[in-house]
Amino acid sequence: MFAGNDQMAMGVLAAFAEEGVAVPGDVSLVGFDDITGSEYLVPSLTTVRQDCVTLGRTSIEVLVGMIGGARPRHHLIPPTLIVRRSSAAPPR
């Protein structure tokens, strides 16, 4: 299961625990943001880390350029998958 952010993933992790669903035994769980503390959950949360500093800087540069008359350009800012204990390979 992929949650929209790490806080949502924490809620899912708690709900799974209440229902006896094993993470990652029954289902893998991945969040997004890599918020502080996600590595200390039980199990530690696999998450996607976005470089927010580069994202913000690039957004401002594009905006300032557009205000000056430049055409917007596409920028790829690759995220990083942080693999921790809430995800596992599917059983064979």
Side-chain angles (χ1 to χ4, degrees):
M1 171 177 264
F2 185 83
N5 59 51
D6 286 352
Q7 288 180 319
M8 293 168 90
M10 284 191 266
V12 170
L13 189 60
F16 281 161
E18 287 178 12
E19 295 299 319
V21 177
V23 176
D26 296 324
V27 64
S28 288
L29 178 62
V30 180
F32 190 94
D33 290 332
D34 194 25
I35 63 172
T36 302
S38 59
E39 69 271 29
Y40 300 114
L41 297 170
V42 178
S44 57
L45 183 62
T46 295
T47 188
V48 177
R49 180 183 296 154
Q50 178 69 51
D51 183 353
C52 293
V53 171
T54 300
L55 178 63
R57 182 182 311 116
T58 303
S59 298
I60 294 300
E61 289 170 359
V62 169
L63 178 61
V64 169
M66 289 174 64
I67 290 170
R71 295 186 70 189
R73 296 181 332 192
H74 178 77
H75 296 270
L76 178 61
I77 302 169
T80 304
L81 178 64
I82 309 298
V83 179
R84 295 192 181 116
R85 303 191 87 168
S86 69
S87 61
R92 293 184 176 220

